[in-house]
Amino acid sequence: MDKEKGPATHNQKMPIYNKDSDLLVIRDLHTHFFTPDGVLRALDGVDLRLPKGKTLGLVGESGCGKTVLALSILRLIPDPPGRIVKGEILFEGIDLLSLDERAIRDVRGNKISMIFQEPMTSLNPVFTIGSQIAEVVLLHQHKRAATKKQALDVAMDMLKIVGIASPESRINDYPHQLSGGMCQRVMIAMALACRPALMIADEPTTALDVTTQAQILNLMKGLREEIDTSILLVTHDLGVVAQSCHEVAVMYTGNIVESASVEDIFSSPLHPYTRGLLRAIPRIGGLRSGESLQAIAGNVPTLRDIPKGCTFNNRCPEVMDICRGEYPPVFRPKADHMVRCWRSAN
């Protein structure tokens, strides 16, 4: 380890909620799916912190549990077969898991909103975009818009805010009349219509071309600053993270294996999995002659076949004997840098 930083400290304590700086703190969260073939541990002890007014990037390969975590925050896990079996989700100091169904419905779409993947399939094809935004406002913002006309006025304002041209005519359009990028803007308008404290964006740019992707990311950044909302950005694209996020949490097989500021993750990654993800990013200018794009060997294990010990040990180029027998605890080489890797124990 760097002498100036000192040795990594081993700290198994769950994160503490700080009401002055934290919006969301997740502690020891376990979400399981109960199937005829056994229990699938989709989330297995997740700890996560999202500060107020910041964007946190949640990254990892497909199948690592990112979307399950997002749905768990909103308590949208289908039961059966899924169930949150343990943990705390502290939002503005309140444990969302302690709320009854009526209380959690007041949180969803109001204080916490979500932008789902594939906007063309997330919008209802038989209702106009204006009526869909207005419905959200009528459901949660009675003081702000008590009538349908007032809610449509709010919808019109939101379409202007997200940069849709001629909102007076577009408000009566159906989803099939809009491009993918415009549908995504409508989804963002719906998500922000109630000015939530937290917006969860699940792969919001996956189906969009590069130019539209940049526009959507810039839009989200501007709206975060304007509305003062925090964003949990779920993605597999580290380029998106570098452009949009303040902090990063790297997820693998249902747990966070490294978290730190964007600067630390990109300049000093500690977990072999994080380093593998970074090496797999194509560089501007392309590959040199004879050079191959580096990929992480193997695939993310299925939930039915999680390796014993460190769950990355069967793909890790730096694996040690202890990695195959014991799951690594939390190590903190710096106060704001967490990693689960035995190589950080020294």
Side-chain angles (χ1 to χ4, degrees):
M1 296 292 298
D2 189 318
K3 291 183 179 180
E4 294 182 1
K5 297 178 182 177
T9 58
H10 170 200
N11 183 0
Q12 276 288 77
K13 293 181 180 179
M14 293 184 290
I16 298 172
Y17 176 82
N18 185 324
K19 67 178 182 178
D20 296 322
S21 60
D22 294 329
L23 178 69
L24 177 75
V25 171
I26 297 173
R27 306 198 296 194
D28 196 29
L29 184 63
H30 296 253
T31 298
H32 297 172
F33 289 85
F34 298 85
T35 74
D37 296 328
V39 179
L40 307 181
R41 292 173 170 81
L43 301 182
D44 200 15
V46 170
D47 292 334
L48 192 67
R49 169 180 279 116
L50 175 56
K52 295 178 180 177
K54 301 293 185 181
T55 298
L56 171 66
L58 183 64
V59 302
E61 295 167 280
S62 297
C64 69
K66 304 187 300 297
T67 297
V68 173
L69 177 55
L71 294 176
S72 294
I73 293 170
L74 286 167
R75 283 178 48 186
L76 289 174
I77 298 297
D79 182 7
R83 192 187 317 150
I84 299 173
V85 298
K86 182 181 177 184
E88 291 180 311
I89 303 174
L90 300 175
F91 173 73
E92 296 182 334
I94 298 172
D95 184 6
L96 298 181
L97 300 183
S98 69
L99 301 180
D100 60 27
E101 189 58 34
R102 181 176 180 179
I104 194 65
R105 281 201 304 266
D106 289 338
V107 172
R108 293 190 201 116
N110 189 20
K111 292 186 176 182
I112 304 177
S113 61
M114 186 164 180
I115 304 172
F116 294 94
Q117 298 184 42
E118 300 292 344
M120 295 297 288
T121 59
S122 299
L123 293 169
N124 193 319
V126 301
F127 292 101
T128 65
I129 61 171
S131 65
Q132 293 186 59
I133 299 172
E135 182 182 12
V136 174
V137 179
L138 284 171
L139 183 63
H140 295 293
Q141 300 280 301
H142 308 295
K143 294 182 180 179
R144 185 177 168 204
T147 67
K148 185 174 182 180
K149 182 181 182 305
Q150 291 173 329
L152 286 171
D153 289 340
V154 173
M156 182 89 69
D157 291 338
M158 291 308 304
L159 291 178
K160 292 177 183 177
I161 288 173
V162 298
I164 290 185
S166 303
E168 299 83 1
S169 60
R170 288 296 188 181
I171 198 169
N172 295 314
D173 283 351
Y174 291 86
H176 73 271
Q177 296 174 277
L178 306 180
S179 68
M182 292 180 71
C183 282
Q184 193 62 287
R185 289 173 186 267
V186 172
M187 290 294 298
I188 294 173
M190 290 178 64
L192 295 178
C194 297
R195 298 183 176 267
L198 171 61
M199 181 170 67
I200 302 172
D202 188 5
E203 302 278 8
T205 61
T206 296
L208 306 178
D209 61 75
V210 175
T211 301
T212 306
Q213 173 179 295
Q215 293 172 350
I216 294 297
L217 292 175
N218 287 334
L219 172 64
M220 291 174 59
K221 178 181 178 182
L223 291 174
R224 177 187 58 76
E225 296 169 351
E226 179 182 342
I227 299 177
D228 194 29
T229 187
S230 300
I231 298 175
L232 177 61
L233 179 60
V234 180
T235 182
H236 64 275
D237 190 334
L238 282 168
V240 169
V241 169
Q243 180 180 346
S244 307
C245 299
H246 300 93
E247 300 183 7
V248 188
V250 181
M251 197 166 190
Y252 190 76
T253 58
N255 215 331
I256 307 298
V257 295
E258 185 168 7
S259 64
S261 68
V262 168
E263 292 79 8
D264 279 354
I265 288 292
F266 279 82
S267 64
S268 306
L270 298 177
H271 200 283
Y273 179 60
T274 308
R275 290 197 288 267
L277 291 176
L278 290 169
R279 283 194 298 265
I281 300 175
R283 293 190 301 270
I284 294 176
L287 300 172
R288 294 188 291 269
S289 178
E291 185 182 15
S292 299
L293 187 65
Q294 297 188 49
I296 302 175
N299 298 302
V300 178
T302 67
L303 295 178
R304 291 184 176 85
D305 192 29
I306 300 294
K308 183 181 178 182
C310 173
T311 56
F312 188 61
N313 72 62
N314 61 332
R315 306 174 69 191
C316 181
E318 305 172 42
V319 64
M320 304 182 294
D321 288 342
I322 192 173
C323 305
R324 297 187 175 92
E326 298 182 44
Y327 188 71
V330 168
F331 296 99
R332 297 188 184 276
K334 296 194 321 186
D336 57 353
H337 196 148
M338 180 281 286
V339 63
R340 285 184 178 272
C341 178
W342 284 113
R343 289 196 173 273
S344 293
N346 300 321

